[in-house]
Amino acid sequence: QVQLQESGPGLVKPSGTLSLTCAVSGGSISSGHWWSWVRQPPGKGLEWIGEIHHTETTKYNPSLKSRVTISVDKSKNQFSLRLSSVTAADTAVYYCARVDTGVIILYYYYAMDVWGHGTTVTVSS
Amino acid sequence: SSELTQDPAVSVALGQTVRITCQGDSLRSYYASWYQHKPGQAPILVIYGKNNRPSGIPDRFSGSSSGNTASLTITGAQAEDEADYYCNSRDSSSNHGVVFGGGTKLTVL
């Protein structure tokens, strides 16, 4: 079954760039799914960051769009997140997730069906 | 962009039934998906689509929707169901991003 594993530095300096990678195992990143990044700041709820399709089409959270880049490396079966100009407000647990989408009767569905374990990123000098 | 609204906290007696709701304009076009999230763990998808449970999710979890409101029902809540529950869907506004509800903390008494 598909498994996801986040990796990257756990500490980033303010104004720096946060870079994380999500390795996909047990399946292909070119399987037709979207691949997403989600974060949870301490004491707060889940926040969608953005997502990418293997065709390299991307969608981003409007509140983060100016600072976010998500890319895919099909040769390594992984996708990555870059968040620039970070501040303490970007301190969070970052998760990657696989997205399953479809249509049932006249309604669409969108479900993050496989998640990585999450990685904690702290922004501090 | 659209928003999804959840009650911050709900409690239920052990073995009783509890309903957690999620409201938002996106739910007129999209089914909500529901996630269980426990501290220190990754979120787990518990309901998606009309009322679909991924493999391994107990059948005491069920979902429903009407208009702009989606509901997650736990019939016969167990102690291990105590967690934060989030709904999400694609945003039906022009950007077609993704929205999460603010989360509901479920306490099993």
Side-chain angles (χ1 to χ4, degrees), chain B residues 39-89:
Chain B
Q41 299 182 21
I44 296 172
L45 177 68
V46 295
I47 291 289
Y48 70 98
K50 188 172 172 62
N51 179 19
N52 299 96
R53 283 177 288 106
S55 174
I57 301 302
D59 61 6
R60 64 178 179 271
F61 289 88
S62 63
S64 62
S65 64
S66 178
N68 72 338
T69 301
S71 300
L72 171 70
T73 300
I74 307 174
T75 303
Q78 302 299 302
E80 61 264 32
D81 299 334
E82 185 163 293
D84 294 324
Y85 289 85
Y86 294 88
C87 60
N88 93 329
S89 77

Side-chain angles (χ1 to χ4, degrees), chain A residues 47-64:
Chain A
E47 179 182 31
W48 177 72
I49 299 170
E51 62 189 12
I52 191 165
H53 193 260
H54 71 90
T55 56
E56 303 190 32
T57 302
T58 54
K59 297 178 188 284
Y60 297 130
N61 185 324
S63 68
L64 299 170

Side-chain angles (χ1 to χ4, degrees), chain A residues 7-84:
Chain A
S7 62
L11 181 64
V12 182
K13 293 186 186 308
S15 78
T17 296
L18 178 160
S19 296
L20 297 174
T21 295
C22 181
V24 179
S25 60
S28 172
I29 203 165
S30 300
S31 59
H33 294 277
W34 287 82
W35 305 89
S36 190
W37 286 98
V38 176
R39 71 180 182 180
Q40 184 178 37
K44 296 188 177 181
L46 299 176
E47 179 182 31
W48 177 72
I49 299 170
E51 62 189 12
I52 191 165
H53 193 260
H54 71 90
T55 56
E56 303 190 32
T57 302
T58 54
K59 297 178 188 284
Y60 297 130
N61 185 324
S63 68
L64 299 170
K65 186 173 184 177
S66 64
R67 299 193 291 129
V68 172
T69 302
I70 297 176
S71 58
V72 64
D73 187 334
K74 285 174 273 188
S75 68
K76 294 183 178 179
N77 217 37
Q78 65 186 33
F79 62 108
S80 299
L81 168 70
R82 286 174 57 87
L83 181 65
S84 63

Side-chain angles (χ1 to χ4, degrees), chain B residues 14-25:
Chain B
L14 185 67
Q16 295 304 299
T17 297
V18 62
R19 175 174 291 182
I20 299 170
T21 61
C22 174
Q23 253 185 330
D25 287 342

Side-chain angles (χ1 to χ4, degrees), chain A residues 80-95:
Chain A
S80 299
L81 168 70
R82 286 174 57 87
L83 181 65
S84 63
S85 305
V86 297
T87 69
D90 295 309
T91 293
V93 178
Y94 286 75
Y95 298 96

